[in-house]
Amino acid sequence: MILAAGLGKRMRPITSTIPKPLVEIRGKALIDYGLDALARNGVERVVVNVHYMADLMRAHLRKRRDMEVLVSDESDKLLESGGGIVRALPLIGDDPFYLINSDTFWIDGYRDNLDLLADLWNPDEADMSLLIAEMRQATGYEGRGDFTMDREGRLRRVAERDMSPFIYAGAGILKPDLFRDLPEETFSLNRVFDRSIEAERLFGVRLDGLWITVGTPRAIAEAEAAFTASATRAERA
């Protein structure tokens, strides 16, 4: 599933005319970076939730020919990340699924990061496995970190006045059962993160490469510069 229903307020004025997932980086819409990553890993069916400028999103998604794209419509009410997944559950099915934010992506290092997530996924121990970037690998991020991570990869929240180098990189593998008892209402995925932390079943996998988040118009130039720098390093290697 790709989360693509947000309003993109911080991206204004660009998002006055297009939804944020269709903002382009190097000539490609943000959401297509996530769709391409899923396609590379053999994913054949993707659920995308839509709300803001839903017609433009639907028109763009209809262009995909390499996978089936199912739309979870939130035109009536924006449900945020958690509620959006609850509404989409009938489309997602019963198996663990990839979850990707439409406004964050990465440049892979030696490993494909979705493949890395799947390779290290252990459903006996984890209800969720999140892709985790370190601040030194991040472009466009402004914050104090999201989690601490122990040697086994188990995640916990950063204390209120502390900082951590570990950032949720907007991708993960989740069990749909986490959402079965939750109401279809507006709520953040953070509620589910915290429940998994309490049960000690939230784990992280370190990203291999460079993580990029595009939250503001200024971040577009930073993202494109990161691509250029990465390509230059690859040519020299």
Side-chain angles (χ1 to χ4, degrees), residues 134-225:
E134 294 187 44
M135 286 192 183
R136 62 181 178 82
Q137 299 171 284
T139 295
Y141 177 77
E142 298 176 1
R144 59 184 185 87
D146 297 313
F147 299 103
T148 62
M149 183 162 55
D150 66 19
R151 292 181 179 179
E152 287 73 41
R154 190 173 283 105
L155 300 176
R156 292 178 177 81
R157 289 288 186 190
V158 179
E160 185 175 348
R161 296 184 180 181
D162 291 342
M163 293 187 68
S164 169
F166 299 119
I167 310 161
Y168 171 46
I173 297 176
L174 290 70
K175 291 180 178 178
D177 289 348
L178 290 166
F179 302 87
R180 300 290 184 201
D181 64 338
L182 295 175
E184 189 181 297
E185 63 184 20
T186 301
F187 71 92
S188 169
L189 190 58
N190 282 311
R191 182 193 299 186
V192 186
F193 286 169
D194 289 339
R195 288 173 61 173
S196 292
I197 289 171
E198 186 175 352
E200 297 191 342
R201 295 184 61 84
L202 182 65
F203 284 78
V205 172
R206 293 196 188 194
L207 175 140
D208 184 2
L210 177 67
W211 179 67
I212 300 171
T213 181
V214 185
T216 64
R218 184 182 68 181
I220 294 175
E222 295 175 354
E224 293 185 337

Side-chain angles (χ1 to χ4, degrees), residues 96-156:
F97 63 99
Y98 283 119
L99 181 71
I100 296 180
N101 290 347
S102 61
D103 62 349
T104 61
F105 58 102
W106 53 88
I107 300 171
D108 288 315
Y110 291 105
R111 286 290 304 270
D112 180 290
N113 282 286
L114 292 188
D115 181 60
L116 183 61
L117 262 175
D119 189 40
L120 297 178
W121 165 249
N122 183 351
D124 293 332
E125 292 187 355
D127 290 330
M128 286 194 234
S129 185
L130 305 181
L131 190 63
I132 299 294
E134 294 187 44
M135 286 192 183
R136 62 181 178 82
Q137 299 171 284
T139 295
Y141 177 77
E142 298 176 1
R144 59 184 185 87
D146 297 313
F147 299 103
T148 62
M149 183 162 55
D150 66 19
R151 292 181 179 179
E152 287 73 41
R154 190 173 283 105
L155 300 176
R156 292 178 177 81

